[in-house]
Amino acid sequence: MTEPIIPNMPTPEATIVVPEGKSPPVALPPVVPSRSQTTQNRVAEISSLLNALEEAASESGLSACPPEEIATEKCQRDNLLTEGRLGIVNSLMKALRFKSPHSAAHCLRVALGCSSWAEHVGMEKRDRETLEFAALMHDIGKIGTSENLLINPNRLSPQELASIGRIREMGLEILSSCCGDDRILEAVRYVGVRFDSQQSTLPLQGVNIPLASRMISIADAFDSMTTDQVYRPAKSRERALSELFEQGGFQFDHSLVKQFAEMLSQKQSAFTDQASEHWLGKKVAPLSLPWEEPSALSASVSRASDPIEQGPVRSWFEDKLINAMHDGVVFVNAQAKITLWSKGAQRLTGVTGEAAIGRIFTPSLLDMCLQTDQPISDDACPVAKSLITNMQVKRRVLVMGRQGQHVAIDLHTIPVHSPDGRVQGTTVLLHDAQPEASLEEKCEALNAEVTKDPMTKVANRAEFDRMLALFIETHQQAGQPCSLIMCDIDRFKIINDTHGHQAGDEAIISLANLLSSLCRTGDLVARYGGEEFTVICADCTNADGAGRAEQFRRKLSEVQHACLGNKRITASFGVTELQAGDTPETMLRRSDRALLMAKEQGRNQVVQLGNGMEIETKKKPWWKFASLRAQPVVETSLTSAVPIDIAIEKLRGFVSDHQAKIVSTRENSVELEVSSEHVSYDRRKGDHHVIFHVGMQFSEIRVERSNNLGFAAGEYAHTKVDIKIRPKRSNINKRRKADMADRARLIQQSIKAYLMAKESEEVSAQFTPTVS
């Protein structure tokens, strides 16, 4: 296993062992410590101090990673990755975890992503190691930053922005004391510097910025966009990639953005395994197939325990009880730091547990107000008052709900004491005081009427078809996201052939029980057919759905089945989110395509497709109406920041999901026929399906880009798509003209979502495109 590059750290001298009965060697005269030895001693002192800090925190009950913030098995995996390869860097990572668990987890994800990227492009060993360590340490300066600043969900003041700007400088000071490699220090120095060098005082610009810095900046932004934050939910991967392409040539290196997108399109999970193998020198927790014995490594990982990471452990019953409660349940420790954030709290506030846990509970976190709409200052926090006075507090307040509007809740704080009478923290109950029922309650009432599959006791195929249409209609009307997960047991035929069909039935029942136990109230689990299952996730984005599918995958891979000789099984998952123009059929086909991609890329992984819902902000209509006779119903131009080859690949997904017929293709154009059956599920009974003719003209445009400094100015390749949609028949009943326009608009919206495009008018004010 290759050791990390940490210059000025010589190999320790070997300890001399004296055999029994032999005289010890003659003592040598004392040697004056060299500069390298002094550095080594200093590093040992730092390591000793960090270890003492870790032990003190463990004894006092301060946990860097409570189980709600990072699952136990994830912490064990993180520790293996860092301890196996990083030496002193591991101590710095643990120090960062004490300061900000969210930042430490972010740094590790960015480092793994960059390692996968380096594997994809075949980067040289030394360059790859520089990239990995710079990525892992790029936010280490947050150790010296105020905790209140790191968890502040509001707009930062000029003074706070200046403090944020100091993070990189503090990180360089920390690293320079234990790392003398100028390449690593230079890479960290330029992380986050814009490619066009706006607002930067550093001398290097554009391609002269270190390659590692440009790569880390892209991976850093991508992980930030696809992770839940207090101020916004996670974005889907495709939407995040679209934003990276839009900033190509400005904030990021355009050629590297395209390379990053190519890397993500190929075997996403396998790359992470390869990165872990490179760091550890062996696979992390390899999963045995049904006919294999569990590996010793995976067994050791599942039994491993780290008191710093685990924190207080709740029973399975307590977890199920808390998350099944309609009211929100929050627990904060004696320092007012959030250590528990239930599903009910997420439903009321729209803030996920991942984004909330580890932060200080303050009124500004939830934009808390009195009933008179007067904001509650952080100094008047009712939770802090309960901790100080050791008394219960009851108050009706307003908090910002997930719809962007204040909702009334009854807040009740209950101090929690240790056996010796000390205050350990306080439990915060959030009761919904709104009179109207929530979307989850409506879905729960519908879920009670589900027709069950006789073997697994989950919904059957017919009930799934009915409920999927109802979920789509309800969520589109409410303007809320909805995700669909499809999963399939890997190599199920071999299980049947090896252990018998009864054992195969037991495996199917086990998967159904696992999915049902991990789902929220209001979600729907259904057996789609054979060993294939679906999960409809209410009020769930693409990123959240992928996270939940990953949880299903991990839990399933850990279960040993007695009917299979204590072997384990795995499953593949495809995830998608409701998007514009979707019908139950198109959403199901897109999820099925994602599942097939997971199978093709090696099985036992999660693949997500789809761009999600996008709220239209333009007030004026963006389509043009004309006479239905020999004229398009909708005629518009779309512009996508992705290259033309990626746009065409996305169009293939539209054709497959909507069962469109390709009429003709030319050099740069395609003509399709799309039935209204596949773009509108609320069609009136008695209406006939309408066939639409969709003409699409693709062209590559060169977008002129420049900035105030005149740097990185030039032409960048975007994709322009001219669309004309008209009914195949011209003799349409006048009564149905408006309905025809609505259906054509749904087709246009769906194409726009698949291509990750915008209306050309939206970008014309910023850029001046010229057709190449």
Side-chain angles (χ1 to χ4, degrees):
M1 179 172 64
T2 306
E3 293 297 326
I5 304 172
I6 304 183
N8 300 330
M9 294 182 62
T11 304
E13 296 179 1
T15 303
I16 301 176
V17 180
V18 181
E20 186 177 358
K22 298 290 184 179
S23 300
V26 178
L28 298 176
V31 179
V32 178
S34 65
R35 179 181 177 184
S36 61
Q37 291 173 325
T38 303
T39 302
Q40 179 182 351
N41 294 337
R42 181 57 179 160
V43 169
E45 289 179 17
I46 296 173
S47 178
S48 176
L49 289 172
L50 290 172
N51 288 333
L53 174 63
E54 177 180 342
E55 294 172 0
S58 177
E59 293 172 0
S60 63
L62 294 176
S63 175
C65 296
E68 294 82 5
E69 199 274 331
I70 301 179
T72 302
E73 61 268 22
K74 183 176 185 300
C75 284
Q76 293 165 351
R77 178 185 178 90
D78 293 356
N79 288 338
L80 277 175
L81 288 172
T82 50
E83 289 175 3
R85 189 169 164 82
L86 300 181
I88 186 64
V89 179
N90 182 40
S91 297
L92 292 177
M93 280 296 293
K94 286 191 175 181
L96 181 59
R97 276 182 177 167
F98 278 104
K99 184 70 174 184
S100 174
H102 290 278
S103 299
H106 163 74
C107 286
L108 187 58
R109 288 194 302 268
V110 172
L112 283 173
C114 288
S115 186
S116 300
W117 193 353
E119 177 76 17
H120 173 67
V121 299
M123 184 175 287
E124 292 292 334
K125 176 182 175 182
R126 179 171 175 80
D127 293 336
R128 177 172 180 172
E129 290 181 335
T130 298
L131 173 67
E132 290 173 345
F133 288 110
L136 193 64
M137 294 286 101
H138 78 278
D139 271 347
I140 199 66
K142 290 183 178 179
I143 292 178
T145 307
S146 167
E147 185 174 7
N148 292 333
L149 181 61
L150 295 178
I151 63 177
N152 185 4
N154 302 317
R155 184 181 295 275
L156 300 180
S157 66
Q159 294 78 10
E160 291 172 330
L161 287 173
S163 299
I164 290 293
R166 281 268 304 156
I167 289 178
R168 199 72 67 222
E169 298 177 16
M170 289 185 286
L172 289 170
E173 292 181 17
I174 294 173
L175 292 178
S176 62
S177 65
C178 60
C179 173
D181 191 320
D182 292 338
R183 298 180 62 189
I184 295 178
L185 296 176
E186 193 74 354
V188 173
R189 186 189 311 276
Y190 279 89
V191 170
V193 174
R194 292 175 60 94
F195 186 70
D196 59 12
S197 296
Q198 281 192 3
Q199 303 175 348
S200 173
T201 58
L202 297 176
L204 300 183
Q205 301 176 342
V207 294
N208 294 322
I209 295 175
L211 175 62
S213 305
R214 287 178 277 146
M215 295 175 70
I216 296 171
S217 296
I218 293 172
D220 177 44
F222 180 80
D223 181 75
S224 178
M225 287 189 286
T226 54
T227 303
D228 281 320
Q229 309 291 345
V230 172
Y231 49 87
R232 59 148 179 81
K235 299 180 180 181
S236 68
R237 285 193 167 199
E238 294 193 358
R239 183 167 294 179
L241 282 175
S242 179
E243 294 195 16
L244 290 177
F245 274 111
E246 289 177 4
Q247 288 298 318
F250 291 97
Q251 187 173 351
F252 309 111
D253 186 332
H254 186 76
S255 61
L256 289 181
V257 170
K258 185 174 181 180
Q259 189 182 89
F260 181 74
E262 293 172 352
M263 183 271 293
L264 285 182
S265 67
Q266 303 178 22
K267 296 186 178 181
Q268 303 170 22
S269 297
F271 276 123
T272 302
D273 293 339
Q274 291 173 12
S276 303
E277 183 180 7
H278 173 72
W279 283 35
L280 288 173
K282 53 186 174 181
K283 289 273 188 180
V284 176
L287 302 173
S288 62
L289 296 175
W291 54 89
E292 296 175 342
E293 293 293 340
S295 66
L297 176 60
S298 62
S300 67
V301 170
S302 62
R303 292 193 300 267
S305 118
D306 186 348
I308 295 298
E309 302 295 344
Q310 286 186 348
V313 178
R314 298 188 307 276
S315 68
W316 173 87
F317 173 78
E318 291 172 328
D319 277 333
K320 296 292 290 184
L321 177 63
I322 290 173
N323 284 320
M325 293 177 63
H326 181 76
D327 291 341
V329 179
V330 179
F331 185 79
V332 301
N333 62 17
Q335 290 75 39
K337 182 175 290 187
I338 300 171
T339 61
L340 183 149
W341 190 271
S342 73
K343 297 294 184 182
Q346 177 177 334
R347 178 188 61 80
L348 286 172
T349 64
V351 178
T352 65
E354 182 179 355
I357 291 173
R359 302 183 183 276
I360 301 298
F361 190 104
T362 58
S364 59
L365 183 69
L366 302 177
D367 196 14
M368 192 179 295
C369 302
L370 300 175
Q371 289 184 277
T372 58
D373 290 334
Q374 179 182 354
I376 300 177
S377 66
D378 290 349
D379 295 335
C381 177
V383 174
K385 179 180 178 181
S386 179
L387 290 171
I388 295 173
T389 63
N390 196 18
M391 297 177 62
Q392 296 188 24
V393 174
K394 295 182 179 180
R395 183 180 300 179
R396 174 161 291 187
V397 296
L398 302 177
V399 300
M400 185 61 66
R402 56 185 177 179
Q403 298 296 330
Q405 297 179 347
H406 280 96
V407 296
I409 64 167
D410 292 325
L411 184 144
H412 185 190
T413 66
I414 308 170
V416 178
H417 304 88
S418 63
D420 59 3
R422 291 185 303 167
V423 176
Q424 296 294 303
T426 184
T427 300
V428 183
L429 300 179
L430 307 175
H431 174 70
D432 188 359
Q434 297 292 102
E436 57 271 11
S438 65
L439 177 63
E440 283 82 0
E441 289 175 318
K442 295 178 182 179
C443 293
E444 183 178 0
L446 294 170
N447 194 40
E449 303 174 1
V450 168
T451 302
K452 305 293 184 180
D453 174 69
M455 186 175 80
T456 61
K457 308 304 180 185
V458 299
N460 60 19
R461 169 71 178 274
E463 188 62 18
F464 165 76
D465 291 339
R466 185 179 74 85
M467 292 296 292
L468 179 60
L470 193 55
F471 267 67
I472 290 177
E473 180 180 8
T474 303
H475 283 77
Q476 284 185 337
Q477 290 176 353
Q480 293 180 348
C482 173
S483 292
L484 176 62
I485 302 173
M486 294 193 72
C487 66
D488 184 73
I489 297 177
D490 294 331
R491 298 184 173 93
F492 184 72
K493 185 178 184 302
I494 299 180
I495 296 177
N496 276 338
D497 294 344
T498 306
H499 300 279
H501 289 275
Q502 187 174 0
D505 290 346
E506 291 295 328
I508 292 175
I509 294 173
S510 174
L511 175 57
N513 292 339
L514 183 142
L515 295 175
S516 299
S517 66
L518 295 178
C519 278
R520 306 168 304 175
T521 301
D523 293 344
L524 178 73
V525 180
R527 185 182 181 190
Y528 192 73
E531 71 278 13
E532 195 169 16
F533 289 83
T534 60
V535 182
I536 310 176
C537 303
D539 193 14
C540 180
T541 64
N542 208 343
D544 290 336
R548 298 181 61 194
E550 177 63 22
Q551 181 187 20
F552 298 154
R553 187 195 67 80
R554 285 178 180 266
K555 291 292 184 182
L556 178 64
S557 66
E558 295 169 356
V559 177
Q560 297 183 3
H561 301 269
C563 61
L564 303 179
N566 290 328
K567 307 298 191 301
R568 295 177 293 170
I569 63 175
T570 62
S572 302
F573 294 79
V575 184
T576 192
E577 180 187 346
L578 179 66
Q579 62 187 37
D582 261 345
T583 65
E585 291 76 16
T586 57
M587 190 176 184
L588 182 62
R589 291 192 194 101
R590 192 164 59 249
S591 180
D592 191 46
R593 279 199 299 119
L595 175 59
L596 291 176
M597 290 175 63
K599 293 281 189 181
E600 292 171 356
Q601 293 178 6
R603 299 182 176 87
N604 189 29
Q605 58 184 277
V606 178
V607 171
Q608 57 171 299
L609 287 177
N611 196 27
M613 299 178 66
E614 183 176 356
I615 300 175
E616 293 289 343
T617 58
K618 300 181 67 176
K619 296 182 179 179
K620 62 180 183 179
W622 39 258
W623 64 91
K624 302 175 183 178
F625 291 100
S627 170
L628 292 179
R629 189 175 299 277
Q631 292 291 333
V633 179
V634 171
E635 183 175 0
T636 188
S637 294
L638 303 178
T639 301
S640 177
V642 303
I644 194 168
D645 54 340
I646 296 180
I648 293 176
E649 185 64 31
K650 297 298 180 183
L651 180 62
R652 291 195 181 101
F654 172 85
V655 171
S656 174
D657 296 341
H658 291 75
Q659 293 186 337
K661 177 183 178 181
I662 300 178
V663 178
S664 65
T665 58
R666 296 183 180 86
E667 182 178 358
N668 294 317
S669 64
V670 61
E671 295 183 359
L672 309 175
E673 285 186 359
V674 183
S675 172
S676 62
E677 176 186 6
H678 304 304
V679 294
S680 177
Y681 61 86
D682 56 350
R683 184 175 52 85
R684 294 188 301 272
K685 293 182 179 180
D687 280 355
H688 298 288
H689 299 311
V690 178
I691 305 297
F692 285 92
H693 182 278
V694 181
M696 304 177 65
Q697 179 77 30
F698 286 84
S699 61
E700 184 180 80
I701 60 175
R702 297 291 176 173
V703 177
E704 292 284 351
R705 290 185 170 182
S706 62
N707 52 66
N708 295 334
L709 301 178
F711 181 73
E715 295 183 346
Y716 291 82
H718 283 203
T719 302
K720 181 182 179 183
V721 187
D722 296 315
I723 300 177
K724 293 182 180 180
I725 304 174
R726 60 178 175 81
K728 186 176 181 181
R729 295 174 53 194
S730 58
N731 55 340
I732 301 298
N733 192 313
K734 293 182 178 180
R735 178 178 60 86
R736 298 179 58 198
K737 286 186 178 181
D739 180 62
M740 192 71 60
D742 289 340
R743 298 189 190 189
R745 179 169 58 89
L746 286 175
I747 295 177
Q748 194 271 349
Q749 286 180 327
S750 184
I751 293 174
K752 179 180 176 182
Y754 272 82
L755 299 184
M756 301 181 292
K758 295 182 178 181
E759 293 294 312
S760 295
E761 297 177 6
E762 298 177 17
V763 297
S764 60
Q766 304 175 21
F767 311 128
T768 305
T770 57
V771 180
S772 61

